[in-house]
Amino acid sequence: MKLAPVILTVALSWLTTLNHKLFAGELEFTVHPVNPESEYSACAVLDVNEDGKLDIVCGGWWYAAPDWEKHFVMDVEVIRGRFDGYSHLPYDVNNDGRTDLINVNYRSQSIYWVENPGPTGNGWRKHTLALPGAMETGRLYDVDGDGDLDLLPNGIKFAAWWEIDEVPGDGGHMVKRWIQHDLPAEVGLHGIGFGDINGDGRGDIAGQKGWLETPTDDPRTGSWQWHPEYEMEKDASIPILVVDMDGDGDADLIYGRGHDYGLYWLEQTQEGGGARQWTKHEIDKSWSQAHTLLWEDLDGNGTPEIVTGKRYMAHDGKDPGAYEPLGIYRYEFDPAATEWNRHVISHHEKVGFCLDPKAADMDGDGDLDLVVSGRSGLYWLENRLK
């Protein structure tokens, strides 16, 4: 059932109390409704019909650029009122040169991939890979450092990653083999990220209550060391960003609260004797449900920004601030002032930021646009960078 548009009105005073600097230097974004009635949690951008234009795949449908003509993909299971499909991760799973989609799911507790049929766009097929348990969503990272992407889901009651290896198949063709590698259980909570935390050149895994240091020998077979050096709130975002945003040579952590108010960063410093310390800094607490973060350069100045926004009705209105206005924002770090400046991308519109939004140059004009989906609909946010 389509949710009522309960958050489209709010007192004007809420908007006017915002500091004027938050609206300075705005990029202009034009919101294009692709399908306002869509309620799927994830989307992907790829050239389905191979005409040179980027199309959109979202749940049970794909939309052909530039007019977003709607085409059937498959029937998507509805579990307890929600469509299955908590990620749309682009990856050529079957080595046929076409981009398939990997889905990491909460209610079905499954990992499956959807096979891209090619230019006709007809005959997408679902292939179940594993049933490991409930997962908020997942992302692709090169966990083992071999140059190929691996799957890192955010398991709630388990912790593991999947190596996507290539082996010879029938007829000599290379085929993908999925290998599960378990991780220490401490990282199996709401919130996960990947990056080089200790500066040794290898990717580590950031969690809600600490981080996992990758083995010095082999991430596939070695022992991951758990460092309980900090503690985020119980609803940390997916992903947690692992970036050196202040340019001091070490990685910091950026996260939002997926089901409450707050966007924060943890500053990494080294104390005497090499002990690592983490200092928590508030970025923004004026809105809630920053469940997903992107790290993208939307203004084209060569420096990425936080791109995030409010998820629509994650828990059917039970989260704090759920009925307050939707908004999508970008945050630029000012190293001189050691503070973040917020810029509005979309506000007070029925455009939410759910589990797997995408940044891509949809119109080929040289800048990054946003494609967002969720229970509030499917939209293309056109970047009007001049």
Side-chain angles (χ1 to χ4, degrees):
M1 179 181 296
K2 188 68 179 177
L3 292 173
V6 294
I7 58 176
L8 300 185
T9 59
V10 71
L12 182 61
S13 60
W14 188 92
L15 183 60
T16 56
T17 56
L18 293 176
N19 190 308
H20 73 277
K21 72 181 291 185
L22 303 183
F23 296 89
E26 299 296 346
L27 291 179
E28 293 182 8
F29 286 82
T30 300
V31 176
H32 299 277
V34 177
N35 183 358
E37 301 302 312
S38 177
E39 293 188 17
Y40 301 100
S41 296
C43 61
V45 172
L46 59 148
D47 184 4
V48 175
N49 54 9
E50 299 180 8
D51 65 351
K53 301 181 180 68
L54 289 176
D55 309 304
I56 298 171
V57 183
C58 183
W61 305 89
W62 73 275
Y63 302 83
D67 299 322
W68 311 123
E69 181 180 352
K70 185 178 178 182
H71 303 272
F72 182 70
V73 171
M74 66 179 190
D75 291 319
V76 179
E77 185 179 9
V78 177
I79 304 174
R80 301 193 302 277
R82 300 289 182 90
F83 285 105
D84 207 34
Y86 284 59
S87 71
H88 281 11
L89 307 177
Y91 195 95
D92 182 5
V93 176
N94 57 355
N95 279 349
D96 65 355
R98 299 174 183 136
T99 302
D100 309 301
L101 299 174
I102 300 172
N103 282 250
V104 177
N105 306 290
Y106 187 87
R107 298 193 178 193
S108 70
Q109 304 186 29
S110 70
I111 299 171
Y112 66 82
W113 68 279
V114 181
E115 183 178 351
N116 181 349
T120 64
N122 299 319
W124 299 73
R125 291 195 297 165
K126 174 182 174 181
H127 306 267
T128 300
L129 294 169
L131 298 168
M135 296 160 284
E136 285 287 314
T137 183
R139 293 295 185 266
L140 296 174
Y141 303 109
D142 183 5
V143 176
D144 53 16
D146 66 353
D148 297 319
L149 291 174
D150 307 296
L151 176 63
L152 179 64
N154 184 195
I156 300 304
K157 295 183 179 180
F158 77 93
W161 63 280
W162 273 259
E163 178 186 359
I164 311 174
D165 195 12
E166 284 193 352
V167 297
D170 295 339
H173 298 291
M174 299 299 290
V175 296
K176 295 292 193 303
R177 178 179 62 176
W178 296 72
I179 307 170
Q180 178 178 339
H181 299 282
D182 292 331
L183 292 166
E186 289 89 342
V187 81
L189 297 169
H190 197 303
I192 202 164
F194 183 82
D196 184 4
I197 292 177
N198 60 355
D200 65 356
R202 295 185 294 269
D204 308 299
I205 297 175
Q208 182 195 118
K209 294 187 176 183
W211 63 281
L212 287 174
E213 181 179 353
T214 189
T216 56
D217 46 4
D218 190 339
R220 304 171 187 87
T221 59
S223 297
W224 293 74
Q225 183 179 357
W226 176 245
H227 297 275
E229 297 174 350
Y230 58 79
E231 185 166 342
M232 300 175 183
E233 290 81 358
K234 64 181 180 180
D235 50 5
S237 58
I238 304 99
I240 299 164
L241 298 179
V242 182
V243 293
D244 181 14
M245 33 72 56
D246 55 2
D248 65 354
D250 54 36
D252 307 299
L253 304 179
I254 304 170
Y255 71 98
R257 297 198 62 182
H259 301 287
D260 210 321
Y261 292 90
L263 182 64
Y264 304 94
W265 68 286
L266 299 183
E267 180 184 8
Q268 180 180 168
T269 57
Q270 299 289 328
E271 301 298 327
R276 186 177 294 102
Q277 301 291 325
W278 299 91
T279 302
K280 181 178 178 180
H281 302 276
E282 178 184 318
I283 298 174
D284 195 349
K285 286 185 64 177
S286 67
W287 56 277
S288 69
Q289 299 174 100
H291 203 284
T292 300
L293 310 183
L294 299 178
W295 184 244
E296 300 287 351
D297 180 13
L298 296 186
D299 60 7
N301 69 353
T303 302
E305 312 123 44
I306 304 170
V307 182
T308 187
K310 183 183 180 72
R311 185 179 174 190
Y312 181 65
M313 292 293 154
H315 288 155
D316 299 317
K318 298 176 184 178
D319 287 338
Y323 291 96
E324 294 173 355
L326 290 173
I328 299 175
Y329 312 96
R330 64 184 184 92
Y331 295 82
E332 290 187 295
F333 186 70
D334 180 351
T338 320
E339 64 181 16
W340 295 85
N341 294 324
R342 187 179 84 175
H343 304 277
V344 175
I345 293 174
S346 170
H347 184 264
H348 215 284
E349 299 177 273
K350 196 168 178 283
V351 183
F353 207 78
C354 199
L355 296 178
D356 194 6
K358 296 296 192 296
D361 185 3
M362 299 299 296
D363 49 7
D365 64 355
D367 54 39
L368 289 176
D369 310 299
L370 297 173
V371 180
V372 299
S373 65
R375 302 180 82 188
S376 56
L378 173 64
Y379 301 88
W380 164 38
L381 280 64
E382 180 186 2
N383 188 345
R384 306 303 294 269
L385 179 64
K386 295 180 174 60

